[in-house]
Structure formats: structure tokens, C-alpha cells
Amino acid sequence: MSSDPHDKNPPAAGAQLSGYLDLVADLVGDFAGNADFDATLQVALARIVATLQAEAASLFILDGSELECRACVGPVNILGMRMPCGAGIVGRAVESCSVQLVVDVAHDPDFYQRMAEKSGFETRSLLCAPLLVKERCLGAVEVVNHRDTGRIFDERDGRILQALAAAAALALINARLVEQMVDQARLKRELELAATVQQGLLPALDGNCGFVAGLNVAAREMSGDFFDFLRRDDGDLLFAIGDVSGKGMNAAIVMVKAVTLFRALGKIHSEPGRLMAELEAELSATMTMGMFVTMVIGRYSPFSGRLRLANAGHLPPLLLGQEGDFEFPAEAPPLGLQSRVEIADFGELGVLLQPGEAIYFYTDGVIEAELESGRMLEAAGLAKLLHQQMEPHPRQRLQAVIDHVLAGESAQRDDLTMLCIQRESVVSIDDFEIEAEPGALRDARKRVKLAAFRAGCGRDTVESVVLAVDEACQNVIRHAYHQAGGRILLNLRV
């Protein structure tokens, strides 16, 4: 290999090549060991300038349809400067994916004069190499003006700059991968937190509410299905089940809004049709185009078994009754499709549950799930499966259905949500204790009277029940206790 004829004191070729290889190795090591990509670029560019004895250097990265300067060394700071991706000699290097050696930029028609005017730096000659990774160009690095005015860059300098550019391109790819991994990890944590918050919105069913049960199994981190209920002061239960169209974060956000509105408006409106109309008005005002919510709202009296339903486009609830199975189809469209729906548009359906009967509500993910046989469960299959369940508590039956669905060979494609309302054979109206003394009977009579009314008893029956309890308590006070301190426990059942 011959020495550069313009170099007055050319070093030995072997020593020069060794120095270049050491530089490439050092830069690769710097890129691999430093998480701050931009800072490492700046240091690397300074070393390239020193090695190639250039007056200045800059590194441009493709950002959409533009090239942005991400690092620069020299008398003029052009960091952040942008130009069209096809402009200038840098753009030519990017488009051709080849090294560009320009001895005199004044005679190159592609020289980007506008950049020179912005920077105010005089460019005589330059060397530009693309940032290539497997024929994918990410940008370019250029060095400007040899410090020795009697020298120009040559092809050997171009090969060295190309090797250094390849190292920078690899580092850029790795930096982007690391950034994506960090973003994905952060997104995963945020989704897990959001899913925890969303699950926290679902009601906690304690042991004192044995006549209602609900389950929700999300297909993804977030669910577009929901169920909820509110206990009323009169002992009735206001409940809802819904399914938001679509999947992902948009559906989850609408789900949270629907649950929040149900809880807030349910404290004001106790009738299902009226409450549904209020929800429709609120959801329609802000619903994203094309999205909607199917929903059932009900009010249930555990003492009388009376149930009233309003159904907005949701799947028909399934009643497993003593006289056969019944479905109650929707009588109104889903929520969010119309700008305004009058209260009268949401009709109510009355159902009387007999002791031991149960009504089931579910979303389409349940009946459209593929079983081990490859067939969908469908509504008839759900009814058959529920009839086969012998567990006494409704939650156990719901869990058995969900387990059966999830045992299928196909992956879960949709959220699974079920809600069950069951009328108990024996309903506890009230349990309380009183002092075994005449003064406590007045409060006892009031509580018994209220409980009997809540249980649906007529006025004559209420008076008879109060009288019977009063006489029984008086007999206990007179004959069972011979000293103060006794107590009477009252258990009222239907």
C-alpha cells in the first residue's frame, strides 16, 4: 500500500491501519457500554474528527421525511438542524447508500447551499458515509475540510469512515431496541396497574349477598365488559351488566365511564328504564363515533322475588325456572348510537322469581367461545351447561361455566362476563337482639313492621305479624327471665 502523496510525514501503513482498527474497536465498545446514545455519538464524532484530521463533522439521522443533525463537532453548532432527506450530498449518500467523496463542493450541484448559509461555515471538501445496517439506511455521517489545506480526503479515509458509520448505525439500532424495550416494559406496567384499577371497580360480593354472583375474565389486560350492583336502603338490589363494542384501551375507558355513571346515577334514579335513559344521554354526548354499549339494568327485591329489567341491545337474560327456561330479549337499541332517547323508549319487563329460581346474564364472549369440540357454546349450550351444575351457590355455577369455556383448545378471544340473580328458598329479612324488658318492645315492633312491609306483606298481614312477635316477646320477658340482664334474639325469615 503506497502512502498518500500529499502527506508530508506519512506514518507507516501498518501503524496507520492498526490505529484505525483500534478506533473502530474503541467506538464499538463505547456504544455497547454507554446507555446515553446521544452523548456517546458526540464523543465518537470528536474522535473521528481527530483521527481523520477534519475541521468539523456532523451526524444526521432520518426522522420521517427529514434528516436531523443529532451530533456535531466544529466551530459552528448545527445540532437539531433539519433538511429534506433527499437534499444535499448527505441526502445523496442516504439515497444511494454509498460513500460520497467530494473534493470541491463548489463544483457539486447537490451541495446544500441553504445549510451552509444557515451555519455560516465555509465548506471546501467533504466525505460522507451512510449509516447502514443490512442495506437499511438510518442516516449519514460527514466530515468537512481536512485541517491541512494541502490535503484532501481520499478513498482510504472513506473506507475508515464507512466502518465507523457502520458501528454508529449498529449502535443506533441497539439504542432504538433498548428504547422500545423500555417503552414496552413501561406500557406493560401501566396496563397491569390499569387492569388492577379496573378490576377494583367490579363489586366485591361478600357472604351477606348470597343471591347475587358475578364473574369477569378479561381476554386482554383490559376488559370492555362489566357488571356492577348497588344496595338500596330498602333492601332492593340495583344491578347492571354491559359490553362495550370493540376491544383494547378505548373499550376499557368507555367501560370505566359506564360503571362510574351507573354508580353515580343509580343513587338518584332507582327505576331501570329511567336510569338507562340517563345513561344513554350521558354516553351519547361523548361516545367516540362507531362505539356503543349493550347493557341490562335491573332492580331486584330479594324479599318478594320481584325483578324489573331494562335491556338496551344486550343478549337476552336466561331464566332457569320451575316451569322451563325463558329468554327476555332486548326492547331498545344499544347505548351511544343515538343523540337522544326518551325515557319512554326504555321499557321495563317485570319478572317474578320463585324460591330457588335463578336468572343469568352474560356477554357474547361466553356463548361465542369455542369448546373442545370446536363448536361455539351458544345460548342453548349455556342453558344445558347450567342445568348440569349442582353447586348450591350461584358463584360456583358461574365459575364452572367459565372453566368449561376456558378448557377449549382455542385461545380466549373475547371477555367473559356473567351475572346471576337467584331467589333464595329462605330469605333473611332481619336479625337483631333486644333487652328482655318491656321498654325494648316499642323498637322491636317498629323493626318487625318495616321488615314485613319490605317482604311484600299486605297491611293486615303486617299487623298480624307485629302482634304475634309482640306477644311472644312479652311471654319471654314475663316467664323466661327472673332477673334483669336477659336478651331476646329475633330472626325474621321469609
Side-chain angles (χ1 to χ4, degrees), residues 89 92 100-113 122-128 142-146 149 151-154:
I89 299 169
R92 190 169 71 199
Q100 303 295 311
L101 174 59
V102 181
V103 175
D104 186 357
V105 299
H107 295 88
D108 194 306
D110 289 332
F111 179 62
Y112 195 57
Q113 190 64 39
E122 181 186 0
T123 301
R124 301 185 301 275
S125 63
L126 61 81
L127 181 63
C128 186
E142 70 172 1
V143 292
V144 179
N145 299 344
H146 201 286
T149 55
R151 283 197 59 194
I152 59 173
F153 300 115
D154 57 22

Side-chain angles (χ1 to χ4, degrees), residues 353-416:
L353 295 183
Q354 300 300 322
E357 288 186 338
I359 186 169
Y360 296 88
F361 305 85
Y362 51 90
T363 57
D364 55 6
V366 176
I367 60 172
E368 294 177 2
E370 288 189 8
L371 305 178
E372 293 180 349
S373 61
R375 298 187 310 238
M376 289 194 302
L377 178 61
E378 299 183 342
L382 175 60
K384 181 179 178 181
L385 190 58
L386 288 169
H387 276 299
Q388 294 172 352
Q389 308 306 318
M390 304 302 295
E391 292 81 1
H393 196 285
R395 180 178 176 83
Q396 295 173 320
R397 297 196 293 275
L398 297 187
Q399 188 65 60
V401 171
I402 298 298
D403 291 343
H404 184 81
V405 168
L406 294 178
E409 295 181 0
S410 300
Q412 181 185 348
R413 296 180 299 179
D414 201 356
D415 303 326
L416 307 174

Side-chain angles (χ1 to χ4, degrees), residues 1-4 13-14 16-17 156 159:
M1 181 181 291
S2 60
S3 301
D4 190 331
Q16 188 179 40
L17 179 60
R156 181 182 56 192
R159 289 192 295 272

Side-chain angles (χ1 to χ4, degrees), residues 267-297:
K267 296 176 181 178
I268 303 172
H269 307 287
S270 61
E271 298 308 316
R274 175 65 182 272
L275 178 53
M276 191 77 82
E278 297 293 339
L279 278 165
E280 161 64 21
E282 293 293 336
L283 289 174
S284 293
T286 57
M287 189 72 77
T288 303
M289 183 173 295
M291 296 192 72
F292 58 88
V293 181
T294 68
M295 193 172 183
V296 176
I297 296 178

